[in-house]
């Protein structure tokens, strides 16, 4: 018992490595990461501001887009402080409790984003397959419930996984292979039976992402079935074009997410740089690209941005 307590006491501090083998380049590596974070934060804050202030965007599709922006920021921003602390050589230490909290937000918001993408697929299904009932089905009250349920589902699903971590002795090493905390990264350091965490984590990923991806797939089967019934080619293209941004957002989230899971579970002995690269793509690419894609592909968002820029220009001219 004394040995276990001693081991747990030592494990109160972990060490983040950043880009292993490239420590001398950390200051240079921080430059593109700083730009990516700034682009992601500015892009998503712009989307949120436009949706909130432009009455023309007070529709279900744009409410879901605002949810996507919130989950994007919730997924990437918890990593920002530890990433730059490591890259700027301020400190590579992180307390165990802070590590678990960071882990909770990263994984919870990544699962929540998957749920939001499913909700957006259902939004497109209702808009294309039941256009006359669109406003009556997707009411603001229902949208709010969907958003809250998506977050709570993901948060409660993570609790059994993370609640066991404080009881694990970490006697092998306290060195994590990233610049932030991931569950898969931490449990490999535990000197205990982590079978439950491994199996539960795999079941969790399969169940949540599997159900969401299946729901998205089924939604698009019905969407394509309805689109093919449209007589005019222009009408079919217009209907499909409203789904293009969402399909891109789905691919941007799921492809890196699946890649990271495969690397962690089946390529444990591959180059550490591959693990680090995949982990950062998984967290940074969706927040950066989603606002750009929706700004380029969605006319109303483009108009909202132009209106915002013109309003700021007029305001500065008057001032």
């Amino acid at each position: 018992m004394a040995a276990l307590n001693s081991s747990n006491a030592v494990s109160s501090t972990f060490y983040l490595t950043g880009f292993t083998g490239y420590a001398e380049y950390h200051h240079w590596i921080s430059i593109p990461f700083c730009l990516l974070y700034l682009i992601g934060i500015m892009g998503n804050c712009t989307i949120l501001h436009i949706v909130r202030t432009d009455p023309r965007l007070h529709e279900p599709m744009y409410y879901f887009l605002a949810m996507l922006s919130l989950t994007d920021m919730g997924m990437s921003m918890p990593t920002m402080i530890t990433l730059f602390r490591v890259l700027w050589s301020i400190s590579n230490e992180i307390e165990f409790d802070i590590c678990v909290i960071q882990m909770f937000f990263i994984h919870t918001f990544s699962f929540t984003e998957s749920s939001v993408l499913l909700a957006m697929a259902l939004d497109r299904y209702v808009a294309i397959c039941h256009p006359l009932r669109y406003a009556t089905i997707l009411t603001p009250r229902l949208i709010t419930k969907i958003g809250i349920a998506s977050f709570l589902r993901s948060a409660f699903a993570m609790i059994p996984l993370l609640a066991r971590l404080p009881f694990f002795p970490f006697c092998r090493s306290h060195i994590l292979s990233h610049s932030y905390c991931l569950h898969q990264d931490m449990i490999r350091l535990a000197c205990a039976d982590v079978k439950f965490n491994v199996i539960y984590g795999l079941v969790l990923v399969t169940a949540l992402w599997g159900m969401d991806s299946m729901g998205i797939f089924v939604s698009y089967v019905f969407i394509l079935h309805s689109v093919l019934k449209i007589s005019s080619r222009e009408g079919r293209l217009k209907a499909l074009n409203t789904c293009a941004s969402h399909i891109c957002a789905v691919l941007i989230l799921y492809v890196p997410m699946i890649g990271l899971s495969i690397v962690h579970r089946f390529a444990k002995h591959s180059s550490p740089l591959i693990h680090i690269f995949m982990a950062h793509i998984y967290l940074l690419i969706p927040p950066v690209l989603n606002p750009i894609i929706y700004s380029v592909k969605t006319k109303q968002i483009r108009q909202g941005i132009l209106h915002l820029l013109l309003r700021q220009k007029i305001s500065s001219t008057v001032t």
Side-chain angles (χ1 to χ4, degrees):
M1 180 65 73
L4 180 60
N5 290 338
S6 171
S7 178
N8 280 331
V10 173
S11 69
S12 62
T13 300
F14 284 80
Y15 300 91
L16 303 166
T17 55
F19 288 79
T20 307
Y22 296 87
E24 65 271 26
Y25 302 111
H26 273 179
H27 283 82
W28 293 105
I29 293 171
S30 70
I31 295 173
F33 276 99
C34 189
L35 291 173
L36 287 172
Y37 272 107
L38 285 173
I39 292 169
I41 292 169
M42 289 175 62
N44 285 293
C45 285
T46 300
I47 295 289
L48 289 170
H49 178 72
I50 290 170
V51 172
R52 184 178 69 85
T53 58
D54 192 337
R56 295 172 300 175
L57 301 183
H58 292 175
E59 296 180 7
M61 174 182 173
Y62 304 107
Y63 291 142
F64 285 123
L65 179 55
M67 284 185 202
L68 186 66
S69 291
L70 285 172
T71 54
D72 274 335
M73 290 196 292
M75 192 167 66
S76 66
M77 287 183 69
T79 68
M80 189 164 56
I81 294 175
T82 55
L83 173 66
F84 288 116
R85 278 169 61 89
V86 172
L87 294 182
W88 292 340
S89 303
I90 298 171
S91 175
N92 66 339
E93 294 184 3
I94 184 168
E95 293 298 317
F96 175 80
D97 294 340
I98 302 300
C99 197
V100 172
I101 291 169
Q102 186 181 58
M103 211 182 295
F104 171 79
F105 282 111
I106 291 171
H107 293 299
T108 295
F109 277 108
S110 67
F111 286 128
T112 302
E113 178 144 348
S114 177
S115 301
V116 171
L117 289 173
L118 170 60
M120 295 176 82
L122 295 175
D123 167 80
R124 292 298 82 207
Y125 162 73
V126 175
I128 292 171
C129 301
H130 304 284
L132 298 179
R133 300 174 57 199
Y134 182 65
T136 56
I137 293 175
L138 293 174
T139 62
R141 183 182 179 86
L142 178 61
I143 293 168
T144 302
K145 287 182 178 179
I146 290 172
I148 294 171
S150 298
F151 178 78
L152 291 179
R153 182 193 77 156
S154 305
F156 283 121
M158 285 303 302
I159 290 173
L161 204 62
L162 302 183
R164 289 172 54 86
L165 293 180
F167 301 99
F168 288 157
F170 295 93
C171 53
R172 293 184 190 133
S173 170
H174 302 146
I175 299 174
L176 299 169
S177 60
H178 296 294
S179 51
Y180 52 86
C181 300
L182 289 173
H183 173 261
Q184 305 98 309
D185 199 20
M186 181 172 279
I187 60 171
R188 69 181 178 81
L189 304 178
C191 300
D193 183 4
V194 296
K195 192 176 295 182
F196 171 83
N197 282 58
V198 172
I199 295 173
Y200 182 84
L202 186 60
V203 170
L204 190 63
V205 168
T206 305
L208 296 190
W209 289 349
M211 285 192 300
D212 292 344
S213 58
M214 183 58 66
I216 292 170
F217 176 77
V218 171
S219 296
Y220 274 101
V221 168
F222 285 109
I223 287 170
L224 285 173
H225 181 68
S226 293
V227 166
L228 292 175
K229 291 181 179 179
I230 300 174
S231 57
S232 68
R233 184 172 179 272
E234 290 79 8
R236 289 195 296 270
L237 290 175
K238 185 177 179 181
L240 289 174
N241 190 52
T242 64
C243 302
S245 300
H246 177 257
I247 292 171
C248 290
V250 170
L251 294 175
I252 287 168
L253 177 71
Y254 278 104
V255 172
M257 198 181 278
I258 292 169
L260 181 64
S261 296
I262 290 171
V263 166
H264 268 293
R265 285 177 172 81
F266 305 111
K268 295 179 181 179
H269 302 294
S270 60
S271 169
L273 196 60
I274 294 176
H275 291 256
I276 296 166
F277 180 71
M278 290 297 298
H280 283 96
I281 284 181
Y282 154 64
L283 290 179
L284 275 177
I285 294 303
V288 170
L289 291 186
N290 281 338
I292 295 173
I293 289 170
Y294 274 94
S295 299
V296 171
K297 297 292 294 180
T298 308
K299 181 180 176 181
Q300 291 84 348
I301 296 294
R302 288 200 308 272
Q303 290 175 342
I305 292 172
L306 289 173
H307 181 69
L308 177 64
L309 293 173
L310 289 172
R311 190 167 56 190
Q312 289 179 342
K313 185 177 180 180
I314 293 169
S315 176
S316 62
T317 303
V318 171
T319 304

